[in-house]
Amino acid sequence: MSQHAVLGALDTTAVARRLVHSEHPHSAPAGEQRFVLRDDMPLGHPLFNDTPGLHDPLVFVELVRRAGLHVGHRHFGVPVERPALFYRFALRLSDPAVWQDSAEGARLALEMRAEPTRTVAGVPRSLRLGGTLRLEGAEACTGSAELVFVTPTVARNHRATSRLGALVRTPAADGPRPGTRPAAPSLVGRCTPDNVVVSEPVRQASTLTTTVLVDPSHPVFFTEATDSVPGLLLVEALRQSALLAVASDGAAPCATALTWLSVHLRGHAELDLPLTCTARSAPGGIDALGRRLTRVLLTLRQAGRTTAQAEAVTAEAG
């Protein structure tokens, strides 16, 4: 199974080799730096090639995360012992034909800008990231993210407080609970069962609820040591839940695609406690290509607390 270096690596080493400074426009905010990363889209990747189409937009999420971590430490002076936490993320797909028509292994270019925020003694506490991903020169998607860098002491204290709070809470029995049987891959935009991370749903009125399935042996989500559910898995659970909500409303599963996703991660999700996702969908009109749009509001909850909130828009081909 072949994997390109950037997306197959277990750390940011490959990103560091390919990420280069680009021209800094005079109109850019003070302190902002710009970068370009060039490589091929992955081939044979266990997650990013497991889609009905050729390419998976989650590639953008992972590239921005790794690139942001590298530039924070290498170009903005953040001490390497400070871990980075994904705080917010937004992704908007551009022309869908770019994703559908690009060949396997298409050349990608990530154009990224990084702006330091909350600077203390010349070192940023966080980075505001923005970027555009191009495939063979054509714009495929745009997005933004915020990374927060915390000191090891603050990180340990926050983590301990978060876990203790989760363990002592007793979630309210506020409706039917979903089981742990995985949803059908075709309903959540995947081809193989191993990459399904949400269960078959239950529905109460207008709300659909799934269980997030956490497998610490997954070869992509758990490539790095972690004591909480990785951010990429949370984003994927939100994406799959959005598609599942639309599919349950009668949309053809293979013809439905996520076109926009905005995520606010509000805390750690424990590996060993039940984690659920609720989704509420509503009509979103018709886009310029004649596709029916659906707006989906999503919430990840664990032990009675909200760990993430998101809004998604899906498009159903006519």
Side-chain angles (χ1 to χ4, degrees):
M1 181 181 298
S2 63
Q3 295 181 16
H4 286 69
V6 167
L7 296 169
L10 301 183
D11 52 35
T12 59
T13 303
V15 169
R17 289 198 301 266
R18 289 167 171 78
L19 195 69
V20 297
H21 264 110
S22 61
E23 184 178 353
H24 186 271
H26 294 295
S27 59
E32 180 184 281
Q33 297 189 42
R34 299 203 175 189
F35 305 87
V36 175
L37 184 150
R38 302 183 191 279
D39 197 17
D40 297 339
M41 290 291 279
L43 291 172
H45 192 278
L47 179 68
F48 298 131
N49 290 121
D50 185 45
T51 62
L54 290 176
H55 302 302
D56 184 353
L58 279 191
V59 165
F60 181 86
V61 180
E62 188 66 353
L63 286 178
V64 167
R65 182 185 73 85
R66 294 182 181 183
L69 180 63
H70 169 69
V71 302
H73 292 151
R74 174 66 178 81
H75 297 278
F76 289 96
V78 177
V80 294
E81 65 269 15
R82 294 187 184 180
L85 304 176
F86 240 155
Y87 174 53
R88 291 183 185 272
F89 178 79
L91 169 69
R92 183 183 298 276
L93 268 63
S94 305
D95 184 355
V98 174
W99 294 92
Q100 297 166 2
D101 299 341
S102 297
E104 290 185 338
R107 291 292 295 173
L108 70 83
L110 173 65
E111 303 164 356
M112 191 183 79
R113 60 188 183 274
E115 181 184 357
T117 58
R118 298 193 296 166
T119 299
V120 178
V123 178
R125 295 288 180 87
S126 59
L127 287 181
R128 184 177 296 122
L129 308 171
T132 299
L133 181 68
R134 301 183 186 276
L135 297 182
E136 300 293 354
E139 184 178 298
C141 67
T142 60
S144 62
E146 291 188 38
L147 284 180
V148 178
F149 296 89
V150 294
T151 66
T153 299
V154 170
R156 286 193 299 269
N157 291 341
H158 182 269
R159 186 70 190 90
T161 301
S162 174
R163 178 161 178 79
L164 179 61
L167 291 174
V168 300
R169 289 186 181 94
T170 302
D174 51 2
R177 297 281 177 178
T180 58
R181 182 175 177 178
S186 63
L187 298 181
V188 296
R190 292 298 176 189
C191 298
T192 62
D194 288 347
N195 288 323
V196 176
V197 299
V198 296
S199 71
E200 292 180 342
V202 296
R203 179 180 289 276
Q204 185 177 36
S206 61
T207 301
L208 175 145
T209 304
T210 63
T211 297
V212 179
L213 307 177
V214 179
D215 177 10
S217 66
H218 193 278
V220 177
F221 296 125
F222 288 90
T223 57
E224 301 169 358
T226 180
D227 62 355
S228 60
V229 181
L232 183 63
L233 194 157
L234 296 178
V235 172
E236 174 67 0
L238 291 164
R239 186 192 70 83
Q240 291 190 15
S241 294
L243 293 178
L244 194 59
V246 176
S248 71
D249 287 336
C254 292
T256 303
L258 192 74
T259 63
W260 184 73
L261 178 66
S262 177
V263 178
H264 177 196
L265 299 175
R266 299 181 57 181
H268 294 280
E270 304 298 330
L271 293 170
D272 55 350
L273 297 177
L275 177 64
T276 62
C277 183
T278 59
R280 296 185 181 185
S281 58
I286 304 295
D287 69 3
L289 299 176
R291 301 177 301 174
R292 181 169 70 93
L293 302 178
T294 301
R295 179 171 173 260
V296 187
L297 299 179
L298 302 127
T299 303
L300 288 173
R301 289 182 62 81
Q302 185 178 67
R305 63 174 180 167
T306 297
T307 59
Q309 292 176 300
E311 182 176 350
V313 175
T314 67
E316 180 188 355

